[in-house]
Amino acid sequence: MKSVEPVSKVVPVRPLPRIYTRDEHTVSRKFVSDAALKVLYRLHNAGYQAYLVGGSVRDLLLGREPKDFDIATDALPEQVRELFRNCRLIGRRFRLAHVQFGQEIIEVATFRAQHVGDAEGSAMTDEGRILRDNVYGTIDDDVWRRDFTVNSLYYNIADFSIVDYMGGVEDLRAGQLRLIGEPDKRYREDPVRMLRALRFATKLGFSLDAETLEAIPRLRQLLEAIAPARLFDEMLKLFQGGDGRQTFAALRHHGLFHCLFPLTDELLDSPEGEFAQALIEAALDSTDARVAENKPITPAFLFAALLWHVVEEEAASLMANGASSLDALALASDTIIAKQISRIAMPRRFTNVTREIWGLQARLQKPAARRVEKSTEHPRFRAAYDFLLLRSQAGEPVEDAAEFWTRYLSTPSDDDREQLVENLQASDAPAPDAAKRRRRRRRRKPAGE
Ligand code: ATP
Ligand code: MG
């Protein structure tokens, strides 16, 4: 049921796709989620076209597990909604249908056409950035607005073939990441594609096609126009996708890190950058390891690592002007977070945790005998302790403290722990006796993340 006409009056070039039949490719329904199959079949049975598209087809062809399954169809969003009870229409920039199955959301997008300026006036800014992208079209319109050739493959549920308009299968086999169309134009339409280019190249181990790469240093400034909320989403994909360490290196190498963390980037380029670099890399290594093991991660922790040395520098200069170390850290934290969130809109529930991780460092760094137990009960203790370990690993002089906490936490018996604290006290400045007597013995609660 084709109910929509392409709007463009310009006759577009319509190359024929290369069709890879079922026996010419390795995508198998076995590896497509039940939810995605259900959506594909229901659309198909209702007479619509239904394709798996984007990252899932790419990943299946590479033998990787797709992160999610996106579907493209000629059904309009409202028509999709009529087919599924568990369906919501979302999006202002373009309307999408989300079909929900438990935790899994299948995104269903109606084929869209590229804007060539329409009756409502231009959908682009002066710099050529796309603002609206909601004109429906056909599959051969839709393919042009995809970013990379390897992301533009469509798996057709009607005959299990792969439809390839852009030579994506060949690029995929060659390990090549190539923008569709003219790189300058495509990056101007959406500068986030520069970040995506580095992310995919890193994640897939692909090389960037020369033209796709060449335009990046020339156009990277355009990323400054991207909304901070969108950059927050991108930041999660860049650093929490499992290849954070390498992605960070690529962003630094190609000069894109500056648009995400300008203060950190400047520090990294300074003579003091070495420690910051070591800490960030240690944090990303640990994040990558946790992602690989399916352990929970929080952006608050990465944020803490990415900005710690910037905050420390700011705090040092406040202290040079007479502030106490506690005040200096609190004020520096506020100042740096305020500056950083004007670039990347980190929600407050995360920045609060970042602040707490920083705030606990002084306490953990110089454990006072009478506050040891209390410290472990802080809801952010575990994260702050992990952060202290990273700092130690990255060469900051906090090794003794890190070792103390590690010992303390791995000592199961109350008496032995007591002994550790007493040893600590012996090496402390003499503590008042009163404090010693008041010390309560309680069971340590499991420390939260
Ligand atoms: P991931 O593994 O990160 O999910 P993906 O390729 O599926 O990778 P998504 O962000 O989920 O990436 O987007 C799905 C598809 O939508 C892409 O494969 C691409 O075809 C298209 N797409 C997404 N973002 C853009 C963009 N900024 N410009 C052009 N096309 C895009
Ligand atoms: Mg995806």
Side-chain angles (χ1 to χ4, degrees):
M1 178 195 284
K2 278 195 194 138
S3 46
V4 278
E5 292 276 319
V7 287
S8 168
K9 300 282 182 289
V10 184
V11 180
V13 193
R14 302 221 177 240
L16 289 175
R18 165 89 160 84
I19 309 273
Y20 292 84
T21 57
R22 188 183 192 172
D23 52 356
E24 288 177 310
H25 67 75
T26 55
V27 172
S28 156
R29 272 166 296 159
K30 245 195 330 225
F31 301 110
V32 178
S33 76
D34 290 345
L37 287 174
K38 219 177 260 180
V39 177
L40 286 166
Y41 280 124
R42 193 170 302 172
L43 285 165
H44 176 69
N45 292 337
Y48 299 110
Q49 297 173 32
Y51 298 87
L52 212 52
V53 66
S56 56
V57 183
R58 177 197 69 214
D59 289 346
L60 288 170
L61 279 171
L62 290 169
R64 304 171 64 108
E65 191 189 337
K67 215 170 59 190
D68 42 39
F69 293 92
D70 295 325
I71 289 173
T73 180
D74 59 349
L76 296 170
E78 291 72 20
Q79 294 172 319
V80 176
R81 187 170 50 188
E82 275 165 26
L83 287 179
F84 301 95
R85 271 195 311 143
N86 45 339
C87 177
R88 280 191 321 131
L89 299 190
I90 60 139
R92 266 181 298 156
R93 190 156 164 258
F94 35 74
R95 276 165 83 68
L96 297 168
H98 273 182
V99 189
Q100 182 137 16
F101 297 85
Q103 293 280 48
E104 190 177 353
I105 291 177
I106 305 296
E107 194 169 285
V108 184
T110 306
F111 294 137
R112 293 196 294 271
Q114 283 274 25
H115 268 279
V116 192
D118 57 16
E120 300 165 57
S122 173
M124 295 191 185
T125 64
D126 294 343
E127 302 86 46
R129 190 151 53 90
I130 290 188
L131 294 179
R132 284 189 313 276
D133 184 12
N134 52 3
V135 176
Y136 300 122
T138 56
I139 183 169
D140 55 352
D141 295 315
D142 193 79
V143 69
W144 288 98
R145 57 160 205 95
R146 309 246 155 218
D147 46 9
F148 303 99
T149 60
V150 298
N151 283 351
S152 70
L153 300 169
Y154 297 75
Y155 173 78
N156 190 352
I157 200 64
D159 60 4
F160 315 121
S161 66
I162 287 179
V163 183
D164 178 8
Y165 284 88
M166 300 294 171
V169 171
E170 274 175 24
D171 279 343
L172 196 121
R173 287 177 179 159
Q176 176 97 260
L177 194 71
R178 184 198 310 272
L179 267 175
I180 292 169
E182 198 197 314
D184 263 61
K185 177 166 171 280
R186 300 310 309 282
Y187 286 142
R188 281 178 199 282
E189 283 171 1
D190 182 6
V192 167
R193 289 173 185 151
M194 291 185 265
L195 295 173
R196 291 173 61 86
L198 298 189
R199 177 159 69 84
F200 290 129
T202 304
K203 161 172 145 166
L204 306 173
F206 278 23
S207 54
L208 277 161
D209 154 72
E211 283 179 44
T212 301
L213 180 61
E214 177 271 331
I216 291 179
R218 270 189 296 113
L219 301 176
R220 63 184 169 213
Q221 243 72 31
L222 297 175
L223 276 164
E224 271 157 35
I226 301 301
R230 183 154 181 227
L231 286 184
F232 174 65
D233 294 342
E234 285 307 314
M235 174 195 142
L236 298 187
K237 294 186 196 166
L238 289 163
F239 296 135
Q240 302 195 342
D243 304 287
R245 166 82 180 265
Q246 277 197 59
T247 307
F248 166 69
L251 290 168
R252 280 277 293 160
H253 184 75
H254 296 288
L256 295 192
F257 187 67
H258 190 269
C259 71
L260 297 172
F261 287 88
L263 301 169
T264 310
D265 195 60
E266 279 152 30
L267 180 68
L268 286 169
D269 287 336
S270 77
E272 292 79 46
E274 206 182 311
F275 288 114
Q277 171 108 11
L279 181 69
I280 293 167
E281 289 179 350
L284 289 167
D285 277 342
S286 125
T287 304
D288 290 345
R290 292 183 71 94
V291 172
E293 294 171 53
N294 265 322
K295 288 188 183 164
I297 41 175
T298 166
F301 190 80
L302 270 184
F303 227 55
L306 283 160
L307 295 170
W308 170 247
H309 285 275
V310 179
V311 168
E312 282 234 296
E313 273 210 346
E314 175 80 9
S317 83
L318 290 168
M319 276 158 75
N321 287 323
S324 73
S325 64
L326 223 60
D327 287 351
L329 182 76
L331 194 58
S333 305
D334 288 346
T335 311
I336 300 305
I337 284 183
K339 285 189 186 168
Q340 178 60 45
I341 59 174
S342 71
R343 274 296 43 229
I344 296 184
M346 178 93 155
R348 191 185 290 271
R349 66 180 188 280
F350 295 128
T351 54
N352 284 344
V353 174
T354 302
R355 246 185 272 264
E356 285 181 296
I357 292 173
W358 290 337
L360 280 168
Q361 293 307 301
R363 221 207 266 183
L364 265 59
Q365 224 167 294
K366 291 206 184 83
R370 72 202 147 78
R371 292 177 72 183
V372 165
E373 224 177 281
K374 192 97 195 124
S375 297
T376 63
E377 286 161 17
H378 192 288
R380 247 24 104 194
F381 171 77
R382 185 72 214 192
Y385 160 71
D386 285 343
F387 193 67
L388 184 75
L389 289 187
L390 285 191
R391 289 175 58 207
S392 168
Q393 203 181 316
E396 281 190 66
V398 290
E399 211 179 335
D400 290 349
E403 209 176 295
F404 166 78
W405 288 107
T406 301
R407 280 241 203 129
Y408 184 84
L409 294 173
S410 59
T411 301
S413 112
D414 281 358
D415 287 342
D416 293 346
R417 273 209 306 274
E418 190 79 2
Q419 187 60 51
L420 279 176
V421 173
E422 267 162 31
N423 296 347
L424 182 72
Q425 201 154 31
S427 61
D428 265 357
D433 275 10
K436 211 172 177 180
R437 255 181 271 117
R438 261 191 281 119
R439 206 161 9 106
R440 286 162 297 167
R441 280 180 56 166
R442 263 188 280 157
R443 292 192 66 79
R444 188 167 56 87
K445 283 187 205 150
E449 279 288 296

Short mmCIF file of all heavy atoms in Angstrom, two decimals, residues 53-56 58 67-70, ligand 2:
data_model
loop_
_atom_site.label_atom_id
_atom_site.label_comp_id
_atom_site.label_asym_id
_atom_site.label_seq_id
_atom_site.Cartn_x
_atom_site.Cartn_y
_atom_site.Cartn_z
N VAL A 53 16.61 -2.63 9.07
CA VAL A 53 17.52 -1.69 8.43
C VAL A 53 18.55 -1.17 9.42
O VAL A 53 18.38 -1.28 10.64
CB VAL A 53 16.70 -0.50 7.83
CG1 VAL A 53 16.03 0.32 8.90
CG2 VAL A 53 17.58 0.39 6.95
N GLY A 54 19.62 -0.62 8.88
CA GLY A 54 20.59 0.08 9.72
C GLY A 54 21.56 -0.86 10.42
O GLY A 54 21.95 -1.90 9.87
N GLY A 55 21.87 -0.49 11.66
CA GLY A 55 22.92 -1.19 12.39
C GLY A 55 22.68 -2.68 12.56
O GLY A 55 23.63 -3.46 12.60
N SER A 56 21.41 -3.09 12.63
CA SER A 56 21.16 -4.51 12.89
C SER A 56 21.57 -5.36 11.68
O SER A 56 22.17 -6.42 11.84
CB SER A 56 19.70 -4.75 13.26
OG SER A 56 18.85 -4.26 12.26
N ARG A 58 23.77 -4.52 9.39
CA ARG A 58 25.24 -4.41 9.36
C ARG A 58 25.86 -5.40 10.35
O ARG A 58 26.73 -6.19 9.99
CB ARG A 58 25.61 -2.97 9.74
CG ARG A 58 27.09 -2.68 9.84
CD ARG A 58 27.30 -1.39 10.62
NE ARG A 58 26.95 -1.56 12.04
CZ ARG A 58 26.41 -0.62 12.81
NH1 ARG A 58 26.12 0.56 12.33
NH2 ARG A 58 26.14 -0.88 14.09
N LYS A 67 22.69 -4.25 18.63
CA LYS A 67 22.28 -3.60 19.87
C LYS A 67 20.76 -3.48 19.92
O LYS A 67 20.13 -3.63 20.95
CB LYS A 67 22.91 -2.20 19.91
CG LYS A 67 23.33 -1.74 21.28
CD LYS A 67 24.15 -0.46 21.18
CE LYS A 67 23.37 0.64 20.51
NZ LYS A 67 24.18 1.80 20.18
N ASP A 68 20.19 -3.16 18.78
CA ASP A 68 18.73 -3.06 18.69
C ASP A 68 18.32 -3.30 17.24
O ASP A 68 19.16 -3.36 16.36
CB ASP A 68 18.25 -1.69 19.18
CG ASP A 68 19.13 -0.57 18.66
OD1 ASP A 68 19.57 -0.64 17.49
OD2 ASP A 68 19.39 0.38 19.42
N PHE A 69 17.02 -3.44 17.05
CA PHE A 69 16.52 -3.72 15.70
C PHE A 69 15.63 -2.58 15.24
O PHE A 69 14.63 -2.26 15.89
CB PHE A 69 15.74 -5.04 15.70
CG PHE A 69 16.61 -6.23 15.96
CD1 PHE A 69 16.78 -6.71 17.25
CD2 PHE A 69 17.28 -6.85 14.91
CE1 PHE A 69 17.60 -7.80 17.50
CE2 PHE A 69 18.11 -7.95 15.15
CZ PHE A 69 18.27 -8.42 16.45
N ASP A 70 16.02 -1.96 14.14
CA ASP A 70 15.21 -0.88 13.57
C ASP A 70 14.53 -1.40 12.32
O ASP A 70 15.11 -2.17 11.56
CB ASP A 70 16.09 0.33 13.24
CG ASP A 70 16.68 0.96 14.49
OD1 ASP A 70 16.01 0.95 15.53
OD2 ASP A 70 17.83 1.42 14.43
MG MG B 2 20.78 0.92 16.17
#
